[in-house]
Amino acid sequence: MANDNKLQNIIAHCKEYGFIFQSSEIYDGLSAVYDYGQYGSELKKNIRDYWWKSMTQMQDNIVGIDAAIFMHPTVWKASGHVDNFSDPMIDNKDSKKRYRVDHLIEGYAETLPEADAKSLLQKMDELLAKDDFAGLKTLIEDNKIKCAVSGTANWTDVRQFNLMFSTEMGAVASDNPEENKVYLRPETAQGIFVNFLNVQKTGRMKIPFGIAQTGKAFRNEIVARGFIFRMREFEQMEMQFFVRPGTQKEWYEHWKEARMKWHLSLGISPERYRFHDHVKLAHYADAACDIEYDFPMGFKEVEGIHSRTDFDLKNHQQYSGKKLTYFDTELNQHYVPYVVETSIGLDRTVMMLLSEAYEEQDLSTDEKQDSRVVLKFPPLVAPIKLAILPLTKKDGMPEIARQLMDECKPYFKCFYEEKDSIGKRYRRQDAIGTPFCVTIDGQTKEDNTVTIRHRDDMTQERVTLSSVKDIVLKAMQV
Ligand code: ATP
């Protein structure tokens, strides 16, 4: 299956089976905003829970918080977002379509032979690193790059465009709207920085320690492409790890390794990942890399690991006028801690797991044509863990099935269904990635056994009714 098709098929599948819908679809949708349906929201929640558990429960020195989306406007001045959180853009004068400069050039590079594309992208990276906007415009003009809509090369100058959304707070209209202006946070990290001392003091945390948080973030992405890969409203899972100045390099290496292990623990093979070290570092970083996953559209960032120095805490200290230092009893010294952060997009992780799990299988034999779409999710993140299917509605089978539901549902999400042939019911469960189906049949009443069917290889075995719950629980361990 061509990769382009694969992405389109995944998008269609997500809609058909209740994973992900376009936001406000009945009004023709809102661009780059998505809603999660009944199975998508379970999948997303399971990934979030797994991340949360591995960051907080499994670590002695990391605690979680849940900060508000709205923050004091000065937070975003201190963080550098008001001045620096922007992308270079260019508009086509004829179509009025706006492009992110790197996306425009990358799109054109895809049409070139490999060596030419490589040299063009290298030039682009050099110019981006120097913020050389005039040079970028010349590069676009020299290559005669055209707008996909108007077909012309009639471009404006390259300009910076801030990605933060803003709104007004309070009911009273002010003469100066700037006074009431608040931003929708573009990252969750700042909620952690401004609470650094609150958590450190109330939790009596000792450096090195971390604060984790999951939550919504908002960015006015200009070119929003690739389904839930690049959204305007999305969710992040971030952890800021506060360390002694001078030790940040070793913690950076530690978290690179730990985060890759987390990805591999989802059963994804190492060849599907690579690290990408940043050449152009963000204004706050002294080292940074991405963990890239091989999506249907190629290797792309799913997570960033950044050594943020003391940039954020120092700036908040300066802008707020409040001390944000830590007293290190071992060194007998006050200092502003350094920070290593891990920042992963929850929606991108959903997309990664969908890309990894989605399989179209031809099951045709000489006798008949057959096929299935199966989502091979790791059981831990699968929306439904167990489907309980009475073979018929007679002979007490639904009653036994209901009893099994009652036994299992406090532990994991189950699904009960008695309609349609068993084959059709299996296919529907394959399509939403349910790892186990259990069929209650006439024999169950005689000897308390059921047929358990395994999603990936479709094998079936006879097991006792009382063992079903533990079989599923065991498979959910990673
Ligand atoms: P990109 O280069 O793709 O725009 P970024 O480097 O700006 O991403 P970060 O600021 O490091 O991203 O954010 C951390 C993580 O948040 C990213 O690795 C990604 O998984 C997720 N993320 C960022 N922007 C978006 C978005 N628009 N839609 C969905 N997820 C996003």
Side-chain angles (χ1 to χ4, degrees):
M1 190 185 358
N3 275 338
D4 231 19
N5 284 350
K6 181 169 176 184
L7 180 59
Q8 291 315 316
N9 293 354
I10 290 174
I11 296 171
H13 188 86
C14 281
K15 184 176 170 193
E16 188 180 346
Y17 285 93
F19 280 86
I20 298 166
F21 309 119
Q22 178 81 59
S23 155
S24 326
E25 196 188 69
I26 59 168
Y27 292 98
D28 297 333
L30 187 63
S31 166
V33 185
Y34 290 91
D35 296 340
Y36 285 81
Q38 63 276 29
Y39 297 125
S41 54
E42 289 288 342
L43 173 64
K44 191 172 162 192
K45 179 191 165 297
N46 294 340
I47 299 168
R48 189 195 296 113
D49 286 352
Y50 178 49
W51 182 89
W52 186 260
K53 180 177 172 188
S54 65
M55 275 299 174
T56 62
Q57 189 175 324
M58 301 304 288
Q59 307 274 343
D60 303 338
N61 55 348
I62 302 182
V63 292
I65 64 163
D66 182 11
I69 287 173
F70 289 133
M71 301 183 74
H72 193 284
T74 311
V75 166
W76 305 110
K77 290 210 174 77
S79 69
H81 283 81
V82 170
D83 293 329
N84 293 317
F85 192 55
S86 46
D87 282 332
M89 303 286 172
I90 194 164
D91 292 359
N92 183 269
K93 288 186 193 161
D94 299 317
S95 67
K96 308 276 182 271
K97 192 167 160 51
R98 179 164 291 166
Y99 292 86
R100 243 177 80 169
V101 165
D102 54 338
H103 288 171
L104 181 69
I105 298 174
E106 276 165 12
Y108 174 70
E110 278 169 20
T111 66
L112 298 177
E114 206 179 317
D116 295 348
K118 214 171 155 193
S119 110
L120 176 66
L121 293 177
Q122 201 175 339
K123 268 188 213 139
M124 176 186 82
D125 282 345
E126 284 164 15
L127 294 167
L128 282 170
K130 289 189 286 186
D131 282 334
D132 182 350
F133 296 161
L136 285 163
K137 185 174 179 189
T138 310
L139 189 67
I140 290 169
E141 285 176 341
D142 287 352
N143 282 278
K144 301 191 175 55
I145 300 178
K146 295 197 178 76
C147 164
V149 178
S150 67
T152 68
N154 191 10
W155 299 108
T156 60
D157 286 341
V158 174
R159 280 166 302 155
Q160 292 284 54
F161 183 90
N162 197 292
L163 299 183
M164 279 197 293
F165 284 101
S166 64
T167 185
E168 281 159 45
M169 187 165 248
V172 188
S174 156
D175 292 341
N176 178 8
E178 286 299 310
E179 264 174 31
N180 294 345
K181 189 168 177 178
V182 288
Y183 296 99
L184 274 71
R185 66 180 177 199
E187 62 174 27
T188 56
Q190 298 304 323
I192 291 178
F193 291 126
V194 298
N195 279 299
F196 158 70
L197 265 194
N198 283 339
V199 174
Q200 190 272 318
K201 288 202 164 132
T202 56
R204 293 183 294 128
M205 308 299 291
K206 276 205 161 10
I207 270 178
F209 73 90
I211 305 179
Q213 154 159 253
T214 70
K216 287 275 172 113
F218 304 82
R219 295 183 187 179
N220 197 3
E221 302 278 3
I222 291 305
V223 185
R225 289 190 293 204
F227 192 38
I228 54 169
F229 182 82
R230 189 173 299 286
M231 302 154 90
R232 297 205 165 100
E233 174 180 342
F234 58 99
E235 199 166 330
Q236 289 187 314
M237 307 189 287
E238 297 198 299
M239 192 280 296
Q240 267 67 41
F241 201 69
F242 299 90
V243 305
R244 224 177 242 177
T247 64
Q248 70 270 23
K249 279 274 171 325
E250 66 201 69
W251 283 111
Y252 173 70
E253 293 304 328
H254 167 88
W255 282 109
K256 263 177 85 168
E257 196 184 317
R259 291 308 301 150
M260 186 57 95
K261 265 197 193 146
W262 183 88
H263 283 268
L264 301 180
S265 75
L266 291 165
I268 302 176
S269 98
E271 296 90 70
R272 313 281 295 157
Y273 288 106
R274 69 181 188 200
F275 282 111
H276 167 76
D277 291 318
H278 288 201
V279 186
K280 183 189 178 193
L281 290 171
H283 55 276
Y284 50 75
D286 72 355
C289 70
D290 300 332
I291 294 179
E292 294 186 337
Y293 168 78
D294 192 5
F295 286 99
M297 56 295 181
F299 275 98
K300 301 260 182 218
E301 168 178 353
V302 65
E303 172 158 11
I305 296 149
H306 311 126
S307 173
R308 289 181 83 125
T309 67
D310 55 1
F311 175 88
D312 302 87
L313 289 179
K314 262 209 172 130
N315 275 9
H316 286 306
Q317 192 167 256
Q318 188 194 329
Y319 277 78
S320 67
K322 309 274 165 22
K323 254 201 151 92
L324 294 177
T325 52
Y326 170 83
F327 181 66
D328 191 322
T329 47
E330 274 174 39
L331 296 181
N332 199 23
Q333 197 183 319
H334 289 276
Y335 55 76
V336 176
Y338 270 46
V339 172
V340 175
E341 90 172 346
T342 71
S343 173
I344 178 167
L346 178 50
D347 311 87
R348 277 194 199 173
T349 312
V350 169
M351 181 149 161
M352 174 179 87
L353 283 160
L354 280 166
S355 312
E356 191 68 20
Y358 183 89
E359 233 177 86
E360 291 173 10
Q361 294 178 341
D362 184 356
L363 305 173
S364 300
T365 58
D366 290 345
E367 284 84 53
K368 68 172 176 115
Q369 293 258 316
D370 196 10
S371 67
R372 71 166 182 165
V373 173
V374 55
L375 296 181
K376 292 183 167 175
F377 291 129
L380 181 71
V381 302
I384 308 280
K385 317 295 184 199
L386 174 68
I388 300 175
L389 316 170
L391 191 61
T392 70
K393 289 181 203 163
K394 296 181 298 197
D395 302 330
M397 291 178 213
E399 286 72 24
I400 298 175
R402 289 281 178 202
Q403 270 172 20
L404 183 60
M405 273 295 277
D406 289 345
E407 187 199 339
C408 292
K409 70 185 180 191
Y411 298 92
F412 45 79
K413 184 112 179 118
C414 306
F415 186 88
Y416 176 89
E417 193 172 42
E418 49 185 37
K419 226 175 132 246
D420 285 334
S421 74
I422 202 74
K424 273 194 184 151
R425 283 184 267 170
Y426 283 159
R427 286 290 183 276
R428 279 201 291 270
Q429 294 306 315
D430 289 343
I432 60 168
T434 305
F436 299 102
C437 291
V438 152
T439 308
I440 319 289
D441 56 23
Q443 199 187 322
T444 308
K445 216 162 152 186
E446 311 293 318
D447 63 4
N448 276 323
T449 62
V450 290
T451 301
I452 191 161
R453 174 191 181 266
H454 300 266
R455 173 197 65 199
D456 295 353
D457 55 10
M458 295 182 287
T459 53
Q460 303 187 6
E461 55 180 321
R462 205 75 196 169
V463 299
T464 59
L465 197 50
S466 58
S467 65
V468 171
K469 186 185 89 198
D470 287 340
I471 292 174
V472 178
L473 281 176
K474 193 161 169 232
M476 284 168 60
Q477 285 165 13
V478 288

